[in-house]
Amino acid sequence: MPDSVLPEQIHYRTCNLCEAVCGIKITYTGTEIHSIKGDKEDPFSRGHICPKAIALKDLYQDSDRIRKPLERTSDGWKEISWDEALDKAAEGIRRVQKAHGNNAMATYLGNPNVHNTGSLLMGRHFFNAVRTRNRFSATSVDQLPHHIVSWKLFGHQLKIPVPDIDRTEHMMIIGGNPLASNGSVMTVPDVKKRLQDIQKRGGKVIVIDPRKTETAQIADEHHFIKPGTDAFLLLAIINTLFSEQLIDTAHLTSHLKGFQKIKNYVGGWTPERAADITGISAASIKQLAIEFGKAEKPVCYGRMGVSVQEFGLLCQYLIMVINIATGRLDAEGGLMFTKPAADLLKQTGRGHLGKGFSRVRNLPEFNGEFPVSALAEEILVEGDGQIKGLVTVAGNPALSTPNGTQLEKGLEGLEFMVAIDFYLNETTKHANIILPPVSPLEREHYDVIFNMLAVRNTARYSPALFEKAPGEKHDWQIYQELEKRLHPPRNLQGKITNKLLKSLGPDGVLDMLLKTGPYGMLRNPLKGLSRKRLQKQVHGVDLGPLTPCLPETLFTKDKLIHLEPEFFFKDLERLESSANSQSDKLLLIGRRDVRTNNSWLHNSRRLVKGKNRCTAHLHSDDAQRLGVTNGQQIEVSSRTGTVVIEAEVTDTIMQGVVSIPHGWGHNRKGMRMAIASDHAGQSVNDLTDDQAIDSLSGNAALNGVPVTLTPIEKQQESDQLKTASV
Ligand SMILES: Nc1nc2c(c(=O)[nH]1)N[C@H]1C(S)=C(S)[C@@H](COP(=O)(O)OP(=O)(O)OC[C@H]3O[C@@H](n4cnc5c(=O)[nH]c(N)nc54)[C@H](O)[C@@H]3O)O[C@H]1N2
Ligand SMILES: Nc1nc2c(c(=O)[nH]1)N[C@H]1C(S)=C(S)[C@@H](COP(=O)(O)OP(=O)(O)OC[C@H]3O[C@@H](n4cnc5c(=O)[nH]c(N)nc54)[C@H](O)[C@@H]3O)O[C@H]1N2
Ligand code: SF4
Ligand SMILES: [Mo]
């Protein structure tokens, strides 16, 4: 029957494009989507969506999206059958490992893996089957400090408390811009309204950021801070809490181990000292601390701006200390632990740090992964143990990791590469074989990770909207096929587990998790959750606000929170020396826009149209000093590279700071995404530095990169534009 004579239908699901997990309502006929709107009956997102949700339609229909496996040949890309592609992929991996040893193959996992139920629930076995120590992921350009803090303090890397935004009266946001990002390491749909509700109840929202961001614009207070100096501010806040006798660990006191020692460490780190370095006056710092200490139900939250900088781990630790020192952990309106319906924590590794070190730079692993800043050198520097092959899954490190140009050089020289991805992007174009999984609307979805980080306990299951075409595969099925070809389990137990997993599929595994979870059928046979029961609740179920759960929730053996000040504060020496080495260069930071999603939604016209958003923001005083006018092309250079980009002069950025969004730069050769190449932009990660890392955690320092900036003369500019358009 043609689509036009079929009745219109409604499908409810969760948008899986970002961490906010909004409920959406899709109207469609056959395979034609008519509209995607917010699901007003979703108890959590309450009808909220952002412009990206509608791009799910573009993604589904995109003719540039890869649907059949591709092989790179001397005549270009060739479609091949699944069997041939999987055989060749496994053969290539085996060849590299036979010639150079198992560790010559590396793996890189990108961000969308955590938004993919099948990958999360079924993926581990495949990655074990590659049998390499050289594992990398986007974690080390992102939330790695959160994991290390949780692993040390609470005994599990995923035991991450989140702000109880619906009940707090005072929220201090440092280096996060939830109005653009829709929240991160804090699943919070409809965040604008939730922040405004704090204000309506008489509370206060404070933003500390080198940009007056979209979030800062609706906040009660905003302070510009010099990039990379937050640790000085945070130490000064803790120092003031002590000096003003505002320390009250309250109900936490009996759960803490090592807290007493903290006072000694923060002694000399006064607001006066932090003022010059951060650009925030001593009086303001004191006021920030005192107001926080005296507020009703305050909470302090920090995200990318403080995680992905030279002192990322120290910053995240200090933020936790502020919450603990004021008794705000595990308290209503403070930082609270979640109680998700499907709890993965017992099934996942708790974490370990420094069990191994990278070959070239001796950087520590965390939880079996090396910092991705080391990936390029591990490929390029010759010697024993050099990486010669790579498997990437749902990632684009050429655009998303520091010094992307260097990484691309490495990718060009690999002996063999496989990419599991449905786009030919700046990274996957280097692969020999691309294995494309189905797109989000063709698979079932349950947010395993983001329900663990949600500011309210809720659960929602989405069946697939469209059936995948015969022969097409889910990510997890691709993994299983590769595993079968690489290292099928030999012992009986392995064989049984594999068979069982295959027959259960993600739905079956999820069903077990839900049934055995805290709201499951096992506890409450009549009303408890199972996957089927959850599916019937098309708008999802509300499981209530976050509840205090100390000490049971802890994974430490003694059920105490281990502050371990010795481990974290050993970094104070490095911080001390950074204060003396301040440069007078401009400092580069990132920027997110509500219509982007890292590097991969730029092939949706509705998301890229309009005014160029890949611009360099700079302050009008800097512009004047450097002779730059609004809209002019400028050259921005760092140790690693130079990009030519349009200047956007604005006073929403701090003096001395330049901001360029990441994920752009689709002007590389060999790309095939039509719309993206028309809206190429520049890759800020050609400027960020693989050598600039937070050495305590191994996380990349993508914010605070020293750069120089020169305007391009008008004549030169038109020559450049001409060359660019040839
Ligand atoms: N629209 C959109 N949404 C997204 C994404 C996207 O690409 N687009 N990506 C998703 C992903 S993967 C993530 S991890 C989250 C990230 O979520 P957020 O962390 O909320 O996102 P950012 O916009 O990067 O916010 C970081 C803020 O830190 C500021 N900053 C930079 N350097 C410093 C510094 O040294 N100190 C301080 N105090 N602030 C600093 C920046 O100006 C910026 O406002 O967003 C997710 N949501
Ligand atoms: N300078 C700077 N750099 C940054 C950041 C920054 O703030 N500043 N942010 C960092 C952050 S927070 C992150 S998370 C990283 C992201 O870095 P990456 O994860 O490396 O890159 P993405 O752009 O998210 O690329 C995702 C890829 O996954 C594919 N994909 C999407 N869905 C699926 C799926 O279901 N299955 C498969 N197999 N593939 C899929 C897409 O086609 C795309 O190619 O970027 C980081 N880079
Ligand atoms: S905020 Fe995130 S989850 Fe919500 S509609 Fe936008 S992309 Fe989807
Ligand atoms: Mo991220």
Side-chain angles (χ1 to χ4, degrees):
M1 224 188 319
D3 283 359
S4 55
V5 292
L6 291 168
E8 184 174 87
Q9 286 179 289
I10 296 175
H11 169 80
Y12 292 100
R13 72 184 292 112
T14 304
C15 171
N16 74 317
L17 291 177
C18 89
E19 299 178 37
V21 305
C22 298
I24 52 177
K25 176 183 176 183
I26 302 181
T27 55
Y28 68 104
T29 308
T31 54
E32 175 67 26
I33 295 171
H34 304 306
S35 71
I36 300 183
K37 297 208 166 107
D39 176 5
K40 292 198 178 100
E41 289 166 82
D42 182 303
F44 194 24
S45 61
R46 317 177 292 206
H48 173 267
I49 51 164
C50 83
K52 286 187 292 295
I54 305 159
L56 280 168
K57 171 182 163 139
D58 305 340
L59 188 60
Y60 176 62
Q61 293 172 341
D62 192 350
S63 55
D64 287 332
R65 182 163 58 80
I66 306 172
R67 287 158 169 87
K68 298 217 166 87
L70 294 178
E71 180 180 25
R72 185 156 49 84
T73 70
S74 47
D75 295 332
W77 291 99
K78 195 176 112 197
E79 273 184 10
I80 57 174
S81 75
W82 271 105
D83 272 341
E84 197 183 348
L86 290 161
D87 286 347
K88 283 189 169 168
E91 239 170 66
I93 296 173
R94 263 203 308 268
R95 201 169 51 239
V96 168
Q97 291 188 313
K98 199 161 171 215
H100 310 285
N102 281 357
N103 295 328
M105 267 323 284
T107 55
Y108 173 84
L109 290 181
N111 167 276
N113 278 296
V114 285
H115 298 268
N116 184 320
T117 316
S119 297
L120 281 169
L121 297 180
M122 317 279 291
R124 206 161 5 131
H125 298 266
F126 163 65
F127 291 101
N128 292 339
V130 182
R131 296 189 177 168
T132 175
R133 75 194 278 265
N134 278 315
R135 300 179 183 205
F136 302 85
S137 81
T139 293
S140 48
V141 280
D142 193 347
Q143 80 288 2
L144 178 57
H146 288 268
H147 294 309
I148 301 182
V149 168
S150 285
W151 164 65
K152 279 277 183 199
L153 272 70
F154 312 129
H156 197 303
Q157 51 160 338
L158 293 173
K159 184 101 279 226
I160 302 176
V162 296
D164 184 15
I165 192 169
D166 289 339
R167 289 179 294 186
T168 184
E169 302 280 343
H170 184 99
M171 186 162 180
M172 184 152 72
I173 302 176
I174 312 183
N177 185 12
L179 256 64
S181 68
N182 282 296
S184 182
V185 191
M186 161 175 81
T187 281
V188 53
D190 203 8
V191 67
K192 184 175 179 187
K193 178 150 190 308
R194 289 182 139 100
L195 287 172
Q196 288 170 332
D197 284 346
I198 299 177
Q199 298 168 320
K200 277 192 197 143
R201 347 184 240 278
K204 195 165 177 181
V205 178
I206 298 171
V207 171
I208 295 165
D209 198 300
R211 273 185 67 224
K212 183 152 191 182
T213 58
E214 294 79 352
T215 311
Q217 305 210 10
I218 65 153
D220 300 274
E221 203 175 302
H222 166 244
H223 298 270
F224 283 123
I225 186 164
K226 190 168 167 195
T229 66
D230 301 80
F232 292 94
L233 167 74
L234 297 163
L235 282 162
I237 290 178
I238 301 171
N239 176 297
T240 311
L241 290 173
F242 275 106
S243 65
E244 297 288 325
Q245 274 139 38
L246 291 167
I247 300 288
D248 180 5
T249 50
H251 65 291
L252 296 173
T253 314
S254 63
H255 303 306
L256 299 178
K257 187 172 170 191
F259 184 77
Q260 296 310 327
K261 295 186 198 151
I262 287 182
K263 189 176 180 184
N264 300 336
Y265 284 99
V266 299
W269 301 84
T270 59
E272 288 71 22
R273 186 158 174 223
D276 270 356
I277 299 170
T278 57
I280 306 178
S281 72
S284 298
I285 297 176
K286 264 187 209 148
Q287 195 191 336
L288 282 169
I290 293 170
E291 274 191 13
F292 191 91
K294 292 189 173 168
E296 277 289 307
K297 301 192 191 164
V299 68
C300 179
Y301 159 81
R303 204 35 205 114
M304 282 296 282
V306 278
S307 293
V308 189
Q309 56 141 291
E310 222 182 320
F311 295 95
L313 180 51
L314 184 59
C315 283
Q316 287 298 351
Y317 176 67
L318 295 172
I319 287 173
M320 192 61 77
V321 169
I322 291 176
N323 286 303
I324 289 175
T326 48
R328 301 308 301 146
L329 179 71
D330 202 44
E332 240 181 58
L335 267 193
M336 297 193 80
F337 296 101
T338 63
K339 204 201 269 183
D343 194 347
L344 266 189
L345 260 64
K346 290 207 176 90
Q347 276 78 299
T348 47
R350 296 177 183 196
H352 45 78
L353 177 68
K355 272 201 177 167
F357 293 84
S358 68
R359 178 184 63 109
V360 178
R361 220 188 315 169
N362 221 22
L363 296 177
E365 63 76 45
F366 179 75
N367 201 42
E369 285 180 5
F370 291 116
V372 72
S373 296
L375 176 56
E377 69 199 18
E378 291 296 328
I379 301 173
L380 290 165
V381 177
E382 285 179 18
D384 253 8
Q386 188 182 352
I387 292 173
K388 300 280 188 180
L390 178 67
V391 184
T392 64
V393 185
N396 192 3
L399 289 195
S400 58
T401 66
N403 202 351
T405 0
Q406 175 181 251
L407 179 61
E408 277 211 72
K409 271 192 208 115
L411 298 181
E412 273 162 26
L414 287 174
E415 286 180 17
F416 187 72
M417 179 176 158
V418 186
I420 304 181
D421 202 305
F422 42 57
Y423 277 115
L424 188 64
N425 66 23
E426 296 72 13
T427 301
T428 61
K429 70 171 195 180
H430 296 284
N432 299 79
I433 304 282
I434 302 181
L435 303 168
V438 299
S439 69
L441 296 181
E442 295 156 288
R443 59 181 191 230
E444 59 278 73
H445 183 71
Y446 178 87
D447 252 293
V448 189
I449 294 291
F450 298 108
N451 280 312
M452 286 170 23
L453 298 170
V455 303
R456 194 173 171 89
N457 294 312
T458 63
R460 183 166 173 149
Y461 173 84
S462 321
L465 167 57
F466 300 124
E467 223 173 281
K468 66 183 174 63
E472 287 191 344
K473 295 196 190 314
H474 294 290
D475 284 88
W476 65 271
Q477 291 173 318
I478 300 174
Y479 300 159
Q480 288 199 331
E481 292 289 339
L482 283 175
E483 184 192 359
K484 196 166 80 189
R485 286 163 172 82
L486 284 171
H487 295 289
R490 290 222 190 94
N491 61 17
L492 190 64
Q493 195 198 353
K495 282 183 188 161
I496 294 173
T497 315
N498 255 22
K499 241 195 167 126
L500 186 73
L501 269 178
K502 194 168 178 178
S503 65
L504 284 173
D507 264 359
V509 176
L510 175 66
D511 188 42
M512 284 190 346
L513 286 170
L514 289 171
K515 281 179 179 156
T516 55
Y519 317 90
M521 236 168 103
L522 247 55
R523 287 181 192 213
N524 181 350
L526 288 180
K527 288 198 177 145
L529 289 178
S530 69
R531 191 198 57 78
K532 277 198 183 131
R533 284 185 184 169
L534 187 57
Q535 184 170 349
K536 283 191 190 136
Q537 311 272 337
V538 290
H539 307 291
V541 292
D542 184 19
L543 302 168
L546 306 182
T547 46
C549 49
L550 277 180
E552 300 76 29
T553 201
L554 297 174
F555 276 75
T556 48
K557 276 205 188 99
D558 53 10
K559 293 280 175 199
L560 291 175
I561 297 169
H562 294 213
L563 269 300
E564 296 215 26
E566 298 82 3
F567 172 79
F568 294 99
F569 285 133
K570 70 178 178 233
D571 218 18
L572 292 182
E573 212 176 297
R574 193 169 63 99
L575 185 70
E576 188 94 54
S577 53
S578 81
N580 308 324
S581 63
Q582 306 272 327
S583 96
D584 53 4
K585 289 199 173 166
L586 292 164
L587 295 176
L588 174 69
I589 61 166
R591 188 165 86 241
R592 280 178 161 78
D593 175 277
V594 76
R595 279 189 290 153
T596 63
N597 194 17
N598 299 324
S599 76
W600 70 283
L601 285 182
H602 294 151
N603 216 38
S604 159
R605 193 173 300 282
R606 73 181 93 223
L607 292 185
V608 292
K609 71 180 182 193
K611 132 180 186 291
N612 176 20
R613 277 166 294 136
C614 185
T615 58
H617 281 190
L618 89 153
H619 189 271
S620 54
D621 289 353
D622 290 322
Q624 200 177 23
R625 182 169 53 84
L626 296 162
V628 176
T629 52
N630 194 31
Q632 185 175 5
Q633 295 289 311
I634 55 172
E635 210 173 70
V636 184
S637 301
S638 72
R639 186 191 76 82
T640 61
T642 295
V643 303
V644 174
I645 188 166
E646 183 185 326
E648 195 172 333
V649 178
T650 161
D651 288 347
T652 57
I653 193 155
M654 191 180 187
Q655 267 173 283
V657 183
V658 185
S659 158
I660 302 180
H662 76 285
W664 300 88
H666 308 298
N667 47 0
R668 269 66 166 165
K669 271 195 218 134
M671 292 290 300
R672 146 167 132 171
M673 288 190 272
I675 300 165
S677 54
D678 280 352
H679 295 79
Q682 302 294 334
S683 178
V684 70
N685 285 322
D686 291 346
L687 295 171
T688 56
D689 195 335
D690 55 302
Q691 296 296 317
I693 59 162
D694 167 19
S695 53
L696 192 60
S697 67
N699 213 27
L702 301 172
N703 289 312
V705 181
V707 291
T708 52
L709 193 154
T710 31
I712 294 180
E713 296 304 324
K714 283 278 174 277
Q715 183 52 43
Q716 221 179 324
E717 192 178 314
S718 70
D719 291 349
Q720 286 235 352
L721 287 176
K722 262 185 231 150
T723 341
S725 59
V726 172

